[in-house]
Amino acid sequence: MKLSVVIPIYNEEENIQLLYDELKGVLQGIDRPYEIVFIDDGSSDRSLELLESIQQQDNHVVVVSFRRNFGQTAAMAAGFDYATGEVIVTMDGDLQNDPHDIPGLLAKMDEGYDLVSGWRFNRQDAFINRKLPSMIANKIISKVTGVHLHDYGCTLKIFHKEITKGIQLYGEMHRFIPAIASGMGSRIAEVKVNHRPRRFGTSKYGISRTIRVILDLLTVKFLLSYATRPIQVFGMLGIISGGLGFIIALVLTIERQFFGMPLANRPILLLAVLLIFMGMQFISMGLLGELQARTYHEAQGKPIYTVRKILRKE
Ligand code: UDP
Ligand code: MG
């Protein structure tokens, strides 16, 4: 089974040659055909030049160069599109991931997993603005998606190409590949991997990533749980809200009609009206969602299930 190593590169000029040499050493030691797919994500330094010269000398190397910077998620998505191997390894281009972990990940995968994710248990990044938010984010993501990993942020992962076929990546969603894959019924494992401090270049992210990740989590959760049945979420909210509003309005009406209590001085009337309106909106949103879900699945010919294998007599 051919191995494709996908590496996003954005302004990593000092790291590229070292990474390539180290990675090549490791891959030559593994008895499988391989390729290295570098995605140059619109680098403004000499990265592309260096990648081109490596590619000239080594026909295991593929370079995809973006017209501008589209972000790490887009770079990885391109890597999946252009990779020709059956097994895909993803890793960072900044030497923080250790190529020597690849054989270990492969061995774990051969135990029968579809995806093996790295866990940077001795992560070499600043504590306050990187490790702490990441710890909290990992807890939340694990809880919400039900896929319990210690380290969602680790780019070093290995999986069958199959998995990428059903996954469309947007925003910062490359880190949710395990959660999405698990939603499609994949078997997932986690293995401890080495992590090294960044020696050259600078990190491309700051603290604001945490918020963006949480927002993406919201999308992923919705897509995983309710994308095929939006009316069940919005309809439920609509019924609760509308029902509550209806009850309050009913009580007010009875009091007004049969007991002569004035309505004008009852602020709760406003609440009833608000709840009924919200209920109607939720239900219409759910119905629109149902239409959208049909367009989404039927326009792409995308089934609402995923099949592992089919057993039948010819
Ligand atoms: N990267 C990219 N496009 C971007 C930002 C980052 O391709 O817009 C690449 C970057 O070159 C590196 C990897 O994604 O190979 C991870 O980035 P970084 O090391 O900055 O993230 P950190 O390790 O600090 O989380
Ligand atoms: Mg890094």
Side-chain angles (χ1 to χ4, degrees):
M1 284 220 273
K2 184 169 167 184
L3 207 63
S4 295
V5 184
V6 170
I7 308 180
I9 297 285
Y10 181 49
N11 295 345
E12 307 284 1
E13 56 185 358
E14 295 108 323
N15 294 310
I16 290 172
Q17 188 65 43
L18 292 168
L19 172 66
Y20 166 71
D21 292 337
E22 193 178 2
L23 182 60
K24 191 167 103 181
V26 171
L27 291 174
Q28 283 173 342
I30 302 175
D31 189 24
R32 306 192 189 213
Y34 71 87
E35 66 178 355
I36 307 175
V37 185
F38 286 107
I39 320 300
D40 165 47
D41 185 11
S43 299
S44 52
D45 63 0
R46 291 176 52 242
S47 295
L48 180 59
E49 220 175 286
L50 296 170
L51 290 174
E52 276 171 359
S53 78
I54 291 174
Q55 193 274 327
Q56 295 279 307
Q57 293 154 26
D58 184 348
N59 49 19
H60 290 290
V61 174
V62 179
V63 176
V64 178
S65 169
F66 281 177
R67 284 185 189 274
R68 65 166 174 85
N69 178 247
F70 284 95
Q72 190 182 350
T73 298
M76 293 178 65
F80 303 156
D81 290 340
Y82 289 95
T84 56
E86 289 82 29
V87 174
I88 293 189
V89 179
T90 55
M91 63 187 293
D92 280 345
D94 59 358
L95 289 168
Q96 288 198 270
N97 294 136
D98 186 345
H100 294 93
D101 283 314
I102 294 175
L105 293 171
L106 263 173
K108 188 75 186 173
M109 183 182 224
D110 289 341
E111 286 174 22
Y113 292 99
D114 300 308
L115 183 153
V116 182
S117 182
W119 167 17
R120 300 165 293 176
F121 70 107
N122 65 345
R123 184 165 170 193
Q124 304 290 322
D125 279 320
F127 182 78
I128 289 293
N129 64 348
R130 303 306 293 275
K131 285 204 277 191
L132 185 67
S134 146
M135 256 157 63
I136 299 169
N138 284 317
K139 285 265 172 357
I140 300 177
I141 299 173
S142 296
K143 183 92 194 148
V144 171
T145 61
V147 181
H148 293 268
L149 295 182
H150 292 91
D151 189 5
Y152 267 91
C154 182
T155 312
L156 184 57
K157 290 188 181 73
I158 178 167
F159 40 88
H160 292 290
K161 169 108 191 229
E162 283 288 304
I163 288 189
T164 64
K165 287 191 188 140
I167 300 183
Q168 290 295 337
L169 298 175
Y170 296 91
E172 301 278 318
M173 280 186 200
H174 62 269
R175 70 186 55 241
F176 293 110
I177 291 173
I180 302 172
S182 156
M184 302 190 329
S186 305
R187 286 173 288 229
I188 303 203
E190 194 175 39
V191 163
K192 284 188 186 177
V193 296
N194 190 14
H195 193 244
R196 309 183 285 202
R198 209 186 227 284
R199 275 160 57 210
F200 308 106
T202 49
S203 172
K204 311 297 180 291
Y205 300 103
I207 186 90
S208 76
R209 176 166 67 182
T210 318
I211 298 164
R212 284 181 280 138
V213 164
I214 294 297
L215 289 173
D216 280 345
L217 173 65
L218 205 68
T219 313
V220 169
K221 173 66 187 171
F222 181 75
L223 291 179
L224 282 180
S225 318
Y226 304 111
T228 56
R229 46 193 180 108
I231 191 72
Q232 295 186 7
V233 197
F234 293 112
M236 188 65 79
L237 291 172
I239 286 175
I240 294 172
S241 160
L244 215 63
F246 180 76
I247 293 171
I248 299 173
L250 190 69
V251 171
L252 290 177
T253 309
I254 292 172
E255 284 179 347
R256 171 75 181 78
Q257 282 311 112
F258 301 105
F259 301 96
M261 286 172 70
L263 258 188
N265 60 351
R266 307 290 301 275
I268 200 170
L269 178 64
L270 273 180
L271 179 67
V273 173
L274 180 71
L275 286 174
I276 292 172
F277 261 101
M278 273 176 20
M280 277 164 25
Q281 289 199 326
F282 274 130
I283 292 177
S284 348
M285 249 194 295
L287 290 171
L288 287 178
E290 288 287 321
L291 280 181
Q292 285 277 327
R294 280 161 182 68
T295 313
Y296 174 77
H297 285 281
E298 288 165 24
Q300 304 182 77
K302 201 181 168 97
I304 58 169
Y305 50 80
T306 52
V307 173
R308 191 184 305 281
K309 57 184 164 191
I310 302 165
L311 307 172
R312 73 168 157 220
K313 288 219 166 63
E314 288 309 317

